[in-house]
Amino acid sequence: GGCVPAMLFKGSSKSSEASHVNMEPLSRDATLYTRETNKMPPKRTKWWQVTLYIINDTIGAWLILYSSIILGMYGWILGIVLLLALWPLNLYAAHLLWRCRNVFPGAISIGDLVYYVTKSPIAMYATFFFVNATILLTLASQIDSAASNIYWFFSEEPGSYSDKCLAAFLGGVCVVLLPLTQLRYLHSLTLMNVVNITAMLVFVLISVYMVVTGGRHEDANTRLGPNTGAILASVDFDDEQAAPLLGIDILVTAYYYQLIILEIIAEMKHTKEFPKANYWSTPAVLFVAVVSACTQYYFQGEEEELKNASVQQVLTSIFDYEERGRTALAYVAVICFSIHMIGCCVIRAVVITRSCHLLINPAVANKESWRSRLEWAGISLVVLLLAWTLTLFIRFLSLMSLLNGVLVVLTSIVLPIVLYILCCKKRKTLKSIPVLEWGVMGLIVLLSVASIVIYIVRLSMNGSSRTDETSSTMDQVRTVLDCTGFKITA
C-alpha cells in the first residue's frame, strides 16, 4: 500500500536486513554506527506467534475491567459502535508502521524510524525518550493492576480500599517479573503468551458466569442512547471526580500496542506476513471487549459502571463479595487474571530493557555472553525499580493518567501517520496514497489533536490546585508503604 516498493514485500535474508546501512547512510556518530551494526535480533518468530504477542499485550486490565464504562457513557448503540470502531484505528496505525518498516528494514523501533526519516539524532533520542516513557507508564499501570488483583483477596476486609501495605504486593510482582525479563527475545516468550491468553480467557468466562448467575441488579439501568450527563461531566474541568475524558481515552489506552510492534516485526522470519498476524488478533480482542462490556453493563447498570474506578472495586462488583464471600471460582479467576497481567508486564519490560540496552551498549546487546546478560539484568532491575516507584504515585495523581493519555495519542496514533507521510514524501510517492486514505488520516489526526488539546487544558487546570493534591498524595503513599498491623486473610 502507498509508498512501499513491490520489491520490499519479497522474502528477506539477513544480508538484505543489513542493506539499509548502505541505502540510508548514517551520521558519523560512532555510537549510532555501533548501534546500527549490532541491533538486529535473531529472526525466528512466525506470524501466529506475533498474533499471540498482540493479543497478550492488548488485552489487559483496562479492556477487561473498564470497557463497560463506554456503554455507561454512550449507551448500547453508540457504545458498541465505539468499542468496535476504535480497534481498527490501532490496527491501521500498526499497519502504517509496517509499511514504513518495509521501506527502512533497519527500523526495529519507532526511534530508528524517526532517524531514518529525519536524519536527526536529536529527533531519534527525543522519540526514544517519549516512547519509552509511555511504555514505562503503561508498565507501571499493569504492575499496579497485577498487585491489586492479589491484594484484593489477601487484604483483611472485603471491599477495603485503604491500600495499606500495597507497596509490598507491588514489590512482590516486580520480584516475580525480574527473572522472567531475563528472557531477552520475544520469541522466547511464546509459551508464556499461550499460558497468559488461556488464563485471561478463563478469567473472562468465570467473570461472565459470576455476573450472570448473580442476577441483574434491581437498580440496574441501561439506555440505547448516550448518557449526556456523564459525557458532559467527563469534560468538566472543575469536577475532580469526573469520568474519564469522554470515555474514549479508556479505549485508546486499552487498545494501543503500536509502540512494541516494530520490535516484534524485527524478530519475524517473514515480515510480509505481519498484516495477517495483525488482523487475526481481532476476534480475540473484540470478543473480550464486547462480552466484558455488555455483561457488566446489562447486569450492573450504568451507575455502577461509572463509579467503579479501581481494580478492587470492579472485582468486588463482579464477584459480589458481600453475598457470596470468597468462593473457589473467585480465587481461580483472580489468580488467572494476575498471571495474565504479569505476562503483559513481561512483554513491555523486555521491550524497554532492550531499547535501553541498545542505547547504552549496542555492541553486546545481542551477544550471548556473561557481560551481555549481566548488563541486561542490571538494566531490567532499574526499569522495574522505576516502574515500582511510579506505581506508588500513579493511582493517586490524576496528572499521571492524563500525561499517559497524551503520550499514547501522540506516540501510537499521530506519530505513525506523520512518519508514513514523511516516508512517502522521502520516496516521492505521496501521489500514490488514495484520496480516501488521506481523508481517513486527516480525520484521525484532527480528532487526536482535539483530544490532546482537551488533555492539555485539563493538565493545566489540575496544575493550579497541585499543592493540596500533592499533600494528599503523600499521605496516601505513606499508607501504601505502611505495613504495621496488616494481616493477610485467605
Side-chain angles (χ1 to χ4, degrees):
C3 65
V4 183
M7 61 176 290
L8 290 174
F9 282 93
K10 296 181 180 180
S12 57
S13 64
K14 191 171 183 179
S15 60
S16 66
E17 288 291 341
S19 65
H20 62 86
V21 175
N22 297 323
M23 184 174 68
E24 295 294 332
L26 296 167
S27 79
R28 297 182 182 277
D29 188 306
T31 302
L32 288 179
Y33 183 80
T34 302
R35 182 181 188 280
E36 196 69 19
T37 54
N38 291 278
K39 70 183 182 182
M40 297 305 295
K43 301 180 70 62
R44 298 175 294 185
T45 305
K46 298 179 181 179
W47 73 266
W48 59 268
Q49 293 172 298
V50 174
T51 300
L52 295 180
Y53 296 136
I54 295 173
I55 293 172
N56 194 36
D57 186 65
T58 303
I59 304 177
W62 284 73
L63 194 61
I64 296 175
L65 302 182
Y66 300 122
S67 56
S68 57
I69 293 178
I70 298 298
L71 298 183
M73 295 183 70
Y74 293 96
W76 284 112
I77 298 175
L78 185 55
I80 291 179
V81 168
L82 288 172
L83 283 174
L84 297 176
L86 286 183
W87 171 242
L89 168 64
N90 291 269
L91 286 177
Y92 177 65
H95 190 77
L96 290 182
L97 290 174
W98 172 75
R99 290 183 187 176
C100 294
R101 189 261 170 209
N102 285 333
V103 177
F104 301 106
I108 66 168
S109 68
I110 296 180
D112 290 314
L113 190 54
V114 166
Y115 180 76
Y116 291 144
V117 171
T118 65
K119 288 296 189 295
S120 169
I122 294 176
M124 181 188 78
Y125 288 124
T127 302
F128 276 125
F129 174 79
F130 286 110
V131 168
N132 287 342
T134 308
I135 295 174
L136 185 63
L137 280 170
T138 304
L139 174 61
S141 177
Q142 291 173 333
I143 290 173
D144 178 73
S145 296
S148 295
N149 295 337
I150 302 170
Y151 186 89
W152 177 74
F153 59 77
F154 279 129
S155 56
E156 184 175 4
E157 296 179 5
S160 172
Y161 310 128
S162 64
D163 293 331
K164 187 180 181 67
C165 199
L166 180 64
F169 292 83
L170 295 168
V173 171
C174 291
V175 168
V176 172
L177 287 174
L178 184 59
L180 294 177
T181 55
Q182 305 315 302
L183 299 170
R184 295 160 55 189
Y185 299 108
L186 295 173
H187 174 81
S188 305
L189 303 177
T190 300
L191 178 60
M192 184 183 300
N193 282 331
V194 173
V195 172
N196 292 338
I197 292 172
T198 302
M200 175 269 296
L201 291 174
V202 171
F203 172 80
V204 170
L205 293 176
I206 292 178
S207 64
V208 169
Y209 170 80
M210 296 292 283
V211 170
V212 172
T213 56
R216 195 177 189 202
H217 293 192
E218 292 182 1
D219 57 348
N221 293 317
T222 62
R223 64 179 79 198
L224 289 176
N227 183 342
T228 54
I231 295 173
L232 291 174
S234 73
V235 292
D236 182 358
F237 302 120
D238 295 324
D239 184 3
E240 295 182 359
Q241 302 300 321
L245 184 61
L246 294 175
I248 305 299
D249 56 338
I250 291 177
L251 285 184
V252 170
T253 307
Y255 278 149
Y256 96 95
Y257 62 97
Q258 297 88 298
L259 299 188
I260 69 167
I261 213 63
L262 290 177
E263 284 85 350
I264 294 176
I265 294 175
E267 293 192 23
M268 289 187 72
K269 279 186 177 181
H270 306 292
T271 57
K272 65 182 180 181
E273 293 185 327
F274 173 73
K276 177 169 62 175
N278 200 27
Y279 302 144
W280 270 107
S281 63
T282 298
V285 172
L286 292 186
F287 168 78
V288 171
V290 174
V291 169
S292 298
C294 291
T295 303
Q296 293 176 42
Y297 180 58
Y298 175 77
F299 284 93
Q300 297 179 348
E302 65 182 16
E303 185 177 349
E304 181 74 16
E305 300 315 303
L306 292 173
K307 78 176 185 180
N308 287 339
S310 71
V311 171
Q312 296 169 22
Q313 286 175 314
V314 176
L315 291 177
T316 298
S317 71
I318 290 174
F319 298 109
D320 198 5
Y321 234 170
E322 294 180 359
E323 295 293 330
R324 305 187 188 192
R326 296 178 174 180
T327 65
L329 277 179
Y331 275 114
V332 172
V334 177
I335 289 172
C336 286
F337 194 35
S338 301
I339 291 172
H340 172 65
M341 289 310 304
I342 288 173
C344 293
C345 294
V346 171
I347 292 179
R348 293 191 180 271
V350 167
V351 168
I352 196 171
T353 300
R354 172 166 295 282
S355 176
C356 294
H357 201 185
L358 285 171
L359 287 173
I360 296 170
N361 191 7
V364 302
N366 286 307
K367 291 183 178 179
E368 296 294 334
S369 65
W370 280 109
R371 177 180 178 181
S372 177
R373 292 189 182 95
L374 288 173
E375 288 179 355
W376 180 281
I379 294 170
S380 61
L381 176 61
V382 171
V383 167
L384 291 174
L385 285 174
L386 285 173
W388 179 82
T389 303
L390 280 173
T391 58
L392 300 180
F393 299 91
I394 199 169
R395 58 183 31 243
F396 303 122
L397 286 179
S398 57
L399 177 67
M400 289 288 191
S401 60
L402 289 172
L403 181 61
N404 195 33
V406 172
L407 289 174
V408 168
V409 173
L410 276 175
T411 58
S412 66
I413 296 177
V414 176
L415 187 57
I417 292 175
V418 172
L419 287 173
Y420 177 64
I421 293 173
L422 292 176
C423 179
C424 290
K425 181 180 179 181
K426 192 177 182 69
R427 307 292 294 188
K428 299 180 180 179
T429 54
L430 282 173
K431 293 182 179 179
S432 66
I433 301 177
V435 175
L436 179 61
E437 188 166 7
W438 276 112
V440 170
M441 290 191 293
L443 178 62
I444 292 171
V445 170
L446 284 175
L447 293 175
S448 299
V449 169
S451 299
I452 291 170
V453 169
I454 298 176
Y455 272 124
I456 292 174
V457 171
R458 178 169 281 186
L459 280 168
S460 63
M461 296 288 288
N462 285 0
S464 62
S465 60
R466 189 58 43 198
T467 303
D468 292 340
E469 185 174 344
T470 300
S471 176
S472 174
T473 296
M474 294 311 299
D475 289 339
Q476 292 167 318
V477 169
R478 282 189 283 270
T479 299
V480 168
L481 293 170
D482 181 17
C483 293
T484 305
F486 181 83
K487 296 180 181 179
I488 293 180
T489 302

